[in-house]
Amino acid sequence: MKNRFFEIALQQASRLAGKSSRIMVLLTRLGSKMGTVNWTVDRQVQVREKFFTVGRLAKAYALGHYRDVPWRAMLALLAAVIYFLNPLDLIPDIIPVFGLTDDFAVLIWVYNAVGEEIEKFLLWEESKSTPI
C-alpha cells in the first residue's frame, strides 16, 4: 500500500520505539478521539473493536507485559494509530461521512497484515485473569 501519509506515520512511530511514556500518551489521545467518533454504523463497530485490541496490545507492550510481537508489527500498529489521530491525511477527517474512511481502511489493512501477531496477543490476553 502506497500512502505518503502512512509513510509519515511510520516515521513518527519509529521515533516512539522504546519510549513507553510516549506510547502511553499516544494511547490517551487514541481514547479521546475514539470518544468523538459516531460508532453506531455496524461496520464501524467492528473497526472500533480493532482499535480497542490495538490499544490493549500497545499498552501491554509499553508497560512491558507483552513483548512477543515483532518490532516491525508494533511499528505498523502504532503508525495506524498515528494515522487515525492525524486529522489531515489522505481524506481529511473534517469531510462528513467520508473523512474517517481512509483511517479505517489503514487500520484494517495493518490489522490484517499483522493478524497472526494479534491472534497471539489475544491468546496471551485470554490466558491472563484480567485484560490490561
Side-chain angles (χ1 to χ4, degrees):
M1 172 166 137
K2 275 292 195 194
N3 179 329
R4 179 68 184 135
F5 295 101
F6 185 71
E7 290 173 11
I8 292 168
L10 275 171
Q11 292 170 356
Q12 292 171 336
S14 70
R15 291 192 289 272
L16 293 178
K19 297 182 175 122
S20 297
S21 61
R22 291 184 66 194
I23 293 172
M24 295 303 288
V25 168
L26 182 73
L27 294 175
T28 300
R29 290 181 54 213
L30 173 63
S32 293
K33 182 161 182 182
M34 286 184 66
T36 67
V37 174
N38 178 2
W39 298 102
T40 58
V41 179
D42 287 337
R43 183 169 167 250
Q44 290 180 348
V45 170
Q46 295 168 346
V47 173
R48 181 176 157 249
E49 292 308 313
K50 289 180 182 350
F51 271 118
F52 276 122
T53 301
V54 168
R56 291 192 318 272
L57 172 54
K59 181 179 178 183
Y61 182 85
L63 295 175
H65 297 299
Y66 184 79
R67 292 293 175 104
D68 289 343
V69 58
W71 178 81
R72 293 179 68 83
M74 195 69 236
L75 192 67
L77 290 167
L78 291 174
V81 170
I82 291 168
Y83 190 93
F84 176 67
L85 293 174
N86 185 357
L88 300 173
D89 46 36
L90 193 59
I91 303 172
D93 295 351
I94 61 170
I95 297 174
V97 181
F98 299 107
L100 294 174
T101 303
D102 63 318
D103 301 46
F104 295 164
V106 164
L107 172 72
I108 291 168
W109 176 74
V110 169
Y111 195 93
N112 290 337
V114 299
E116 187 176 314
E117 297 305 324
I118 290 173
E119 287 301 318
K120 289 178 190 176
F121 167 73
L122 290 171
L123 288 172
W124 172 83
E125 189 179 51
E126 218 175 86
S127 74
K128 302 296 173 198
S129 59
T130 57
I132 294 181

